[in-house]
Each structure stands twice: as structure tokens, then as C-alpha cells.
Amino acid sequence: MNTESTRKIRLIMKLRNMGIKDTNVLSAIETTPRENFIPDAMKDKAYEDMALPIGLGQTISQPFVVAVMSEALCLSDRDKVLEVGTGSGYQAVILAKICRRLYTIERHKPLLAEAQKHFDALKINNITALAADGMKGWPQQKPFDKIIVTAAAFETPPDALFEQLKIGGIMIVPVGDRVNQVLKRYEKIDEDTYSVTDLLPVKFVPLLPNVASAQEQIEDTYQLNG
Ligand code: SAH
């Protein structure tokens, strides 16, 4: 057995020990090569349970957090899901292996182009990806059964996302400032009522408005390398 698959099995065992039970989530993680989504210099860390930089100041989430978020969505193969924050595209692939169709939005165009290459290489054909401001959701495709936001909303999630969620639908979103964030699960009871559960403390990059400007991309790259 090669070391990559040994590391992968160790990661799956760790996720089980940490309480992840959804077998669809565990098998999606087991069958997705995380190394594909990680820059060459860090590929040996692909099966460590840690977030890693992917360029433009952004990160691929820690596998445990990907697993918790995916499990908390209670996904079925009938679900139409919206992801805000495509990043590397790793979380998108995990979700797309379980749900019917995944819509994913990223504000950094170069990251989205890279993610799209990974979807094609892995022959995942139920993902539709868009370079846009995900704080506005995807009105043309609403309503969604589930919504996942993989960047931290300051104080409260954007209203547009609540509005585009089906009644009975679930939204998972980290909420807080750069220092203190809590992963929250919202369930839409009716048009104006939600139940909210706190899942765990997390650390995500911030959810920012608008598509990233060329200047911002240069600054983010500088921060990453600097
Ligand atoms: N799900 C990703 C992790 C993404 S990191 C993965 O599996 O790799 C968070 C991402 O959210 C970053 O790429 C960031 O650019 C993006 N983001 C932040 N605010 C956004 C917004 N308003 N709309 C779309 N993407 C956003």
C-alpha cells in the first residue's frame, strides 16, 4: 500500500473518531484526491487534518471542518445546493458527490478557473460555477434545499441567502470577526423564522462583497508571500 492511501485511511479513521458518522460524507472524502487541490510545495500535507493556503490569500478548509459542514447539511441525492466560496473546489466536489446539483460562487476569478479544471479532471459534471459576489446568492437558481458558506459572515449571514433558501432548508455558515467565529446551522421554519444551532468554533477567511478587483488580487498575493 502506498503512503498516500495509508495517510488517507488514517485521516478517515481520525474523522470517525472525532464523531463524523455520515457514511456518504466519509466515502466522498475517501474517494476525492485532496492533493489535487493543493499547491505542489504542500502536497505531502494533503491528508493532514489542517487548512492549507491555495493562493490569493485564501485557504482550503481543514478536512474535519469540511466533514462537519457537509454532515450538518443532511444532504440527500435530491438536494439542489448553493456553495458560497468555491476556493480550491475541494468542498464543492465532496458536496457534489452526495447531492443532485451544486451551484458554487467565487469572487476570485483565477481561483474559480483553477477549481473548474479540477471538476473537469475528476469528471464531476453536476457542478455549475460562477465568478460573482456570493453575498447576493444566485437569484436565477433559487430556491435551494441547502446553502453552505465557506467564508465568515460578520455578525449575520446575508439576507439574500436566507431569502433563497427553501422552507425546511438548512444553511451552514461561519459567523464572526477575524478572531472569534462560530460555525452556525440555520434551519428555515417559515419565511421569517429560523432555528439556529452553534456547531463549533472555527477560523475562516472573511466573506467580502463584490468580485475581487485586479488590485486586490495583487495585494492578497503579496500578503500570502510576504
Ligand atoms: N470551500 C473552499 C474554501 C474556501 S476559502 C475549499 O474547499 O477550498 C473561502 C473562499 O470564499 C475564498 O476563496 C474567498 O475568495 C471566497 N469568498 C469570500 N467572499 C466571497 C463572496 N462574497 N462571494 C464568493 N466568494 C467569496
Side-chain angles (χ1 to χ4, degrees):
M1 198 186 293
N2 66 32
T3 46
E4 198 109 277
S5 45
T6 312
R7 284 181 188 154
K8 196 181 245 187
I9 289 165
R10 227 180 265 145
L11 175 64
I12 299 294
M13 279 170 57
K14 182 173 178 194
L15 296 178
R16 280 182 189 278
N17 288 338
M18 289 173 89
I20 304 301
K21 292 189 182 65
D22 187 327
T23 50
N24 289 329
V25 171
L26 290 165
S27 89
I29 291 176
E30 194 169 350
T31 58
T32 304
R34 190 168 182 256
E35 64 274 21
N36 288 23
F37 300 82
I38 289 170
D40 285 346
M42 277 169 299
K43 283 204 194 294
D44 60 323
K45 299 208 167 46
Y47 295 101
E48 303 279 320
D49 189 24
M50 60 192 333
L52 293 166
I54 54 170
L56 296 175
Q58 308 304 322
T59 52
I60 176 172
S61 307
Q62 176 193 351
F64 175 64
V65 175
V66 170
V68 167
M69 293 178 91
S70 306
E71 184 169 74
L73 284 171
C74 300
L75 292 173
S76 92
D77 58 6
R78 294 180 304 278
D79 283 344
K80 177 177 173 181
V81 180
L82 174 67
E83 178 191 36
V84 175
T86 317
S88 68
Y90 177 72
Q91 170 80 75
V93 168
I94 302 297
L95 300 172
K97 286 189 175 182
I98 309 172
C99 72
R100 178 167 57 85
R101 179 149 281 279
L102 180 78
Y103 293 85
T104 185
I105 309 180
E106 170 57 53
R107 66 189 289 281
H108 279 289
K109 281 184 189 170
L111 288 182
L112 192 79
E114 204 54 33
Q116 184 66 57
K117 281 189 210 157
H118 298 316
F119 304 152
D120 296 343
L122 294 172
K123 299 191 168 55
I124 307 282
N125 49 29
N126 60 338
I127 298 180
T128 312
L130 179 72
D133 176 5
M135 291 176 82
K136 301 192 177 99
W138 197 323
Q140 298 81 356
Q141 294 298 342
K142 73 173 188 182
F144 298 96
D145 298 292
K146 312 281 163 67
I147 298 180
I148 176 172
V149 183
T150 67
F154 187 66
E155 290 182 346
T156 127
D159 287 343
L161 300 183
F162 281 122
E163 193 263 317
Q164 292 172 29
L165 186 63
K166 266 188 198 167
I167 291 177
I170 297 169
M171 176 159 72
I172 308 294
V173 44
V175 178
D177 57 27
R178 278 183 193 261
V179 184
N180 291 305
Q181 297 170 9
V182 177
L183 191 61
K184 290 184 181 273
R185 179 187 195 269
Y186 293 83
E187 196 166 335
K188 187 163 176 174
I189 313 282
D190 61 42
E191 272 317 324
D192 310 298
T193 322
Y194 299 87
S195 67
V196 190
T197 319
D198 286 0
L199 300 178
L200 76 159
V202 284
K203 193 159 175 17
F204 277 85
V205 298
L207 186 66
L208 298 172
N210 307 321
V211 175
S213 64
Q215 181 57 32
E216 192 185 330
Q217 288 178 11
I218 293 163
E219 284 165 9
D220 283 348
T221 308
Y222 177 75
Q223 273 174 18
L224 181 68
N225 300 326

